[in-house]
Every structure is written in C-alpha cells, then in structure tokens.
Amino acid sequence: MELQILSPAEDHAIYFRAFIDQLVQKFKPLQIFSFFKNTYTQDDQGCFKEKADTFHCNYCLLLVTESNTRIDHEVQDFTNGNYKQGVITILCHAKEAIEEAIIANNRFFITVCNSTGDAL
C-alpha cells in the first residue's frame, strides 16, 4: 500500500466530517445547513522556526432540530471544545419555528433553506 500525502484542505475535510458525525450523534439534528465558509492558509517560516503550514476553516451552520427546546449554548460549547481548526458558529432552531419564519417571509431562513447545495 502506497502512502498518500493529503493536502491541508483534504486533511481538513476528513477532520470536519468527523466533527459533523460527532455533532449528529450527540444532538440528533434533522438537518444541518452551512451558510458561510471562510478558508485560509497560514505559512510560517523563519531562521528560528521550522516551516509550518496551517489550514483553518471557519463556518456558520444552521442546525435544525425537532424540538422547540433551545440548545444553542450546549451545542456551541460542544463545538468550541471539539473543533480546533478554525471557528464554527452554530444557530439552532426548531423545524417548526423555521417553517413559521419562512411563511412570515423571513429572508434569512428562505435564503439558507433554498441553498440546498450547502446542506451537510
């Protein structure tokens, strides 16, 4: 078997997918939407330091839950403790509340929910 070296982005994709799996197992959301992603690479090098490349990826996610019980703080604490390669901000809303907001013409939820290519 040949050893393959992954690019920082490919390595991060594996790490991020593992984090999403943990998030799903713990909170059991109906759906997760990614409505913002910012990636950046940092290259550090100098005469007193070995060259180091760092890849970071920041996200904003919408977690759709079945229950109206607010779990925002618990989800964000879990995320902050388990995702170390950037920052993830998570909004949590019940499916029913999102549906009501869409009926009330809430542009945020309409836009996020219509961006089906960004559902995780």
Side-chain angles (χ1 to χ4, degrees):
M1 185 172 165
E2 191 176 317
L3 181 64
Q4 291 184 339
I5 298 175
L6 298 176
S7 72
E10 291 168 329
D11 187 42
H12 176 268
I14 293 168
Y15 178 80
F16 181 69
R17 179 52 60 192
F19 166 75
I20 292 296
D21 289 344
Q22 289 177 327
L23 186 70
V24 167
Q25 285 180 350
K26 182 160 178 72
F27 297 103
K28 312 246 185 293
L30 299 174
Q31 206 165 9
I32 301 174
F33 290 95
S34 174
F35 61 91
F36 174 79
K37 177 180 176 184
N38 177 23
T39 60
Y40 58 96
T41 338
Q42 180 177 332
D43 300 322
D44 295 328
Q45 60 183 350
C47 59
F48 297 107
K49 182 179 181 181
E50 288 186 35
K51 181 175 173 29
D53 296 330
T54 309
F55 182 83
H56 291 277
C57 200
N58 298 337
Y59 295 92
C60 289
L61 305 178
L62 171 63
L63 194 100
V64 181
T65 62
E66 190 169 347
S67 170
N68 282 329
T69 304
R70 298 305 302 245
I71 58 171
D72 301 71
H73 295 291
E74 184 182 356
V75 171
Q76 193 64 57
D77 288 344
F78 175 82
T79 300
N80 294 346
N82 289 287
Y83 183 79
K84 302 295 183 191
Q85 293 183 325
V87 176
I88 297 179
T89 302
I90 299 186
L91 303 175
C92 302
H93 290 279
K95 180 180 179 183
E96 183 180 324
I98 293 171
E99 289 170 346
E100 290 172 5
I102 290 172
I103 290 168
N105 205 28
N106 181 295
R107 303 314 290 162
F108 172 77
F109 288 114
I110 291 169
T111 303
V112 170
C113 291
N114 282 337
S115 302
T116 56
D118 297 335
L120 300 176

